[in-house]
Amino acid sequence: MWTHKGHGSAQQRRRLRRLNAALALLHATSAALIVALATEKWTVHLTVPQIRWVPLEPGVACDETVCTIRTTHVQAFAVHIETIVAVFHSFAVLSHLYAAIDYQQCYYSRLLRGRVPHRWLEYSVSAPPMFTCILLLCGITDVWTHLTCFALVA
């Protein structure tokens, strides 16, 4: 097991390198399969709210009578859920490849100290797309909601 003390044996480093390489391959395979097997695009149209003042009395201007606000949603653009999931997997591939390649054992020395900043970087770029997919699958299509959640999750 990895500890914060010591340096980890060469066998442990090789095992962790192989595990990260296998995870990179797994994520790459998942991304490729998602793209290849998506015979139909899972298209979702993001919307923008359009707000307008409507008089309660027809034919009378809002400055002459009481008005109410009506909101309609206009399609802004389409996104493909399978593409977003493939992007998530691509970020994971890069992260695991970095850990497997281990430039001058920087990853291992940070791991032993319990600090792996590249994982936080990977999470900050891969979590927003996944959260976007969750919002889309829950039926939330408002562009401003997506942008706000994207920024907050990052």
Side-chain angles (χ1 to χ4, degrees):
M1 230 21 191
W2 288 95
T3 64
H4 296 296
K5 297 178 182 177
H7 299 289
S9 70
Q11 180 183 1
Q12 288 173 321
R13 288 193 300 270
R14 280 192 304 274
R15 183 170 159 242
L16 190 56
R17 181 177 290 159
R18 283 193 304 266
L19 180 62
N20 275 295
L23 289 170
L25 181 62
L26 177 67
H27 280 288
T29 304
S30 296
L33 286 173
I34 287 168
V35 171
L37 296 176
T39 56
E40 293 180 23
K41 297 287 185 190
W42 292 4
T43 305
V44 178
H45 295 277
L46 292 179
T47 59
V48 177
Q50 213 173 41
I51 301 169
R52 59 188 174 97
W53 288 93
V54 178
L56 293 178
E57 296 179 38
V60 181
C62 278
D63 57 349
E64 299 172 7
T65 187
V66 178
C67 290
T68 186
I69 296 175
R70 296 266 165 86
T71 305
T72 56
H73 292 276
V74 179
Q75 288 184 0
F77 56 90
V79 294
H80 303 288
I81 292 176
E82 71 281 353
T83 304
I84 297 171
V85 174
V87 166
F88 159 78
H89 282 292
S90 300
F91 289 136
V93 167
L94 294 175
S95 177
H96 287 294
L97 279 178
Y98 170 78
I101 292 170
D102 184 38
Y103 183 70
Q104 294 183 352
Q105 296 188 355
C106 180
Y107 174 73
Y108 296 113
S109 64
R110 288 180 177 163
L111 184 63
L112 290 170
R113 291 191 312 258
R115 293 180 179 92
V116 190
H118 95 274
R119 289 282 188 221
W120 288 100
L121 176 65
E122 188 253 331
Y123 296 151
S124 73
V125 295
S126 67
M130 286 312 298
F131 196 73
T132 296
C133 283
I134 292 167
L135 290 174
L136 291 172
L137 292 171
C138 291
I140 299 170
T141 61
D142 180 71
V143 168
W144 301 115
T145 303
H146 277 267
L147 288 174
T148 302
C149 289
F150 197 93
L152 290 173
V153 170

